[in-house]
């Protein structure tokens, strides 16, 4: 199969590309290399294209035609919540505008199958009883432009299904971490595990943003999913698009199990043998106490289930950090 992967040179994309290559698919990477790196994609073809530019539609359609592309995995996006709050129009332009251009190119080239990287950020601060697992039927209510842009993309993709038969799977990622190979670690330091590793390896202690939440140890609980499991979910989604006629689906990608900030930091101490004595800081605005995925839909429909636990995630993140 010939698959075009946008954002294929990035942290998550490069894992998807490597798994596709391992199973023998032909891979075309589209990446603007703003955060992606050329040496992460092996032998895959690379088209350096900024999706949000007006001229991207022609370039993308040409790349799809040239490589006989049958499916698109759309991962490329801006993904920093704080930055999206400061630059909302740019986030909409990059994420929503980029997706609009990609859809136009797919229509032009006659490519009708798409997997889209969405996010648990679409849920916002869900109005459900504390501790409830979030299923896909919870009404999305994003609280920042990043989450809004992802939800707007989901809507646009769904509308393309109604309009001209695009078939899509939208994966709502929870907290992605770890590394499938030591050379494919997360190069960005924007999330808890890399932030804590950077602090500890620079002789500082990590901060815990609030320890008075209504959770057993008072710190926020998240659903950490290994990036290799997540990448594997993309392959399962692609196979599902080949065998099912469903026009539009959305699935959570998580483990169904939560870990508190304290638990993650304890695991980091265990994996690194570094001394971890975190400082307690103020709550970070916009942090829900608990966000854990209900993963029954993806398990029953795609037959996908995460296999790596928190220890495997942190061990692999640490190996990649030292790479
Ligand atoms: C995890 C927990 C923090 C740093 C974000 C995006 C979300 C998705 C995943 C893309 C929280 C706490 C963090 C620190 C801490 N991204 N923390 N000290 O906010 O759950 O999710 O990444 O789709 O959209 O919002 O992830 O890693 O920032 O935080 O105590 O130095 O760790 O408060 O409870 P988050 P995170």
């Amino acid at each position: 199969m010939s698959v075009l992967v946008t954002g294929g040179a990035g942290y998550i994309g490069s894992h998807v590309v490597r798994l596709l290559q391992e199973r023998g698919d032909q891979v075309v990477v589209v990446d603007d290399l703003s955060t992606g790196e050329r040496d992460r994609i092996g032998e895959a073809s690379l088209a350096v294209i900024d999706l949000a530019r007006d001229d991207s539609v022609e370039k993308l359609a040409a790349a799809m035609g040239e490589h006989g592309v049958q499916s698109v995995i759309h991962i490329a996006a801006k993904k920093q919540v704080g930055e999206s709050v400061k630059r909302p129009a740019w986030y909409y332009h990059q994420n929503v505008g980029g997706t609009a251009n990609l859809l136009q190119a797919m229509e032009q080239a006659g490519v009708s199958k798409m997997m889209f990287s969405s996010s648990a950020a679409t849920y916002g601060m869900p109005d459900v009883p504390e501790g409830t697992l979030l299923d896909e039927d919870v009404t999305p209510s994003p609280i920042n432009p990043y989450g809004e842009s992802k939800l707007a993309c989901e809507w646009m993709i769904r509308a393309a299904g109604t309009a001209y038969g695009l078939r899509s799977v939208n994966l709502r990622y929870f907290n992605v971490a770890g590394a499938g190979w030591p050379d494919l670690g997360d190069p960005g330091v924007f999330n808890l595990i890399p932030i804590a590793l950077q602090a500890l390896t620079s002789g500082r202690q990590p901060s815990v943003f609030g320890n008075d939440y209504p959770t057993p140890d008072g710190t926020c609980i998240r659903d950490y999913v290994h990036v290799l499991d997540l990448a594997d979910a993309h392959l399962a989604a692609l196979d599902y698009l080949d065998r099912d006629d469903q026009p539009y689906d959305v699935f959570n990608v998580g483990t169904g199990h939560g870990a508190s900030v304290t638990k993650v930091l304890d695991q980091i101490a265990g994996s690194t043998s570094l001394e971890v004595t975190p400082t307690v800081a103020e709550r970070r605005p916009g942090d829900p106490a608990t966000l854990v995925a209900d993963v029954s839909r993806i398990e029953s429909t795609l037959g996908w289930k995460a296999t790596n636990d928190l220890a495997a995630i942190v061990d692999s993140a640490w190996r990649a950090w030292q790479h």
Side-chain angles (χ1 to χ4, degrees):
M1 195 185 337
S2 175
V3 186
L4 185 143
V5 183
T6 75
Y11 166 52
I12 294 169
S14 58
H15 283 85
V16 174
V17 167
R18 201 168 283 185
L19 285 189
L20 288 169
Q21 288 168 328
E22 279 188 355
R23 75 174 197 181
D25 286 331
Q26 194 200 330
V27 184
V28 185
V29 169
V30 167
D31 203 296
D32 66 1
L33 300 179
S34 56
T35 53
E37 292 155 3
R38 200 179 283 265
D39 63 4
R40 288 181 162 242
I41 64 168
E43 298 302 307
S45 311
L46 173 67
V48 181
I49 301 174
D50 175 354
L51 298 183
R53 279 176 55 119
D54 288 345
D55 62 359
S56 72
V57 178
E58 298 309 319
K59 290 183 181 169
L60 287 164
M64 289 176 202
E66 186 190 332
H67 295 281
V69 167
Q70 292 148 300
S71 310
V72 168
I73 296 182
H74 178 31
I75 301 174
K78 299 294 166 201
K79 61 170 187 179
Q80 292 177 45
V81 171
E83 188 181 46
S84 81
V85 174
K86 294 194 184 105
R87 302 182 68 189
W90 189 64
Y91 261 68
Y92 272 80
H93 186 245
Q94 290 288 314
N95 291 356
V96 182
T99 302
N101 287 340
L102 180 62
L103 285 176
Q104 287 180 62
M106 289 174 67
E107 194 181 1
Q108 253 181 44
V111 179
S112 62
K113 289 177 286 184
M114 178 183 214
M115 200 246 72
F116 175 63
S117 297
S118 191
S119 169
T122 53
Y123 293 118
M125 302 270 270
D127 186 18
V128 294
E130 179 56 31
T132 309
L133 299 182
L134 285 183
D135 66 32
E136 295 85 348
D137 294 328
V138 169
T139 306
S141 187
I143 54 164
N144 50 60
Y146 167 69
E148 289 164 6
S149 74
K150 286 287 175 183
L151 186 58
C153 290
E154 287 190 8
W155 288 338
M156 183 163 46
I157 290 165
R158 187 177 57 192
T162 311
Y164 55 85
L166 177 82
R167 290 199 292 118
S168 68
V169 169
N170 298 264
L171 297 182
R172 291 184 180 155
Y173 306 170
F174 279 65
N175 290 61
V176 185
W181 295 267
D183 58 320
L184 298 187
D186 186 355
V189 184
F190 303 114
N191 295 106
L192 175 61
I193 294 171
I195 289 173
L197 291 178
Q198 185 174 65
L200 291 164
T201 52
S202 318
R204 289 177 286 112
Q205 283 298 325
S207 299
V208 175
F209 296 151
N211 67 352
D212 56 353
Y213 283 94
T215 61
D217 67 22
T219 66
C220 288
I221 293 178
R222 295 289 180 272
D223 187 336
Y224 295 89
V225 58
H226 196 298
V227 65
L228 194 57
D229 284 327
L230 172 74
D232 190 48
H234 291 65
L235 273 59
L238 212 56
D239 294 344
Y240 173 74
L241 281 168
D242 270 335
R243 67 171 189 265
D244 203 277
D245 284 337
Q246 189 76 8
Y248 172 88
D249 272 298
V250 53
F251 299 105
N252 288 336
V253 191
T255 64
H257 301 287
S260 69
V261 175
T262 299
K263 187 162 178 214
V264 172
L265 294 176
D266 285 348
Q267 181 59 54
I268 290 177
S271 298
T272 63
S273 302
L274 295 168
E275 196 189 323
V276 183
T277 49
T279 315
V280 177
E282 291 289 296
R283 286 184 177 199
R284 191 174 65 174
D287 265 342
T290 304
L291 266 187
V292 180
D294 181 326
V295 288
S296 32
R297 187 184 288 180
I298 191 166
E299 285 183 16
S300 62
T301 313
L302 300 192
W304 173 90
K305 196 177 183 336
T307 57
N308 289 285
D309 62 7
L310 184 66
I313 292 172
V314 176
D315 283 348
S316 68
W318 177 230
R319 269 196 303 277
W321 188 268
Q322 294 169 294
H323 181 71

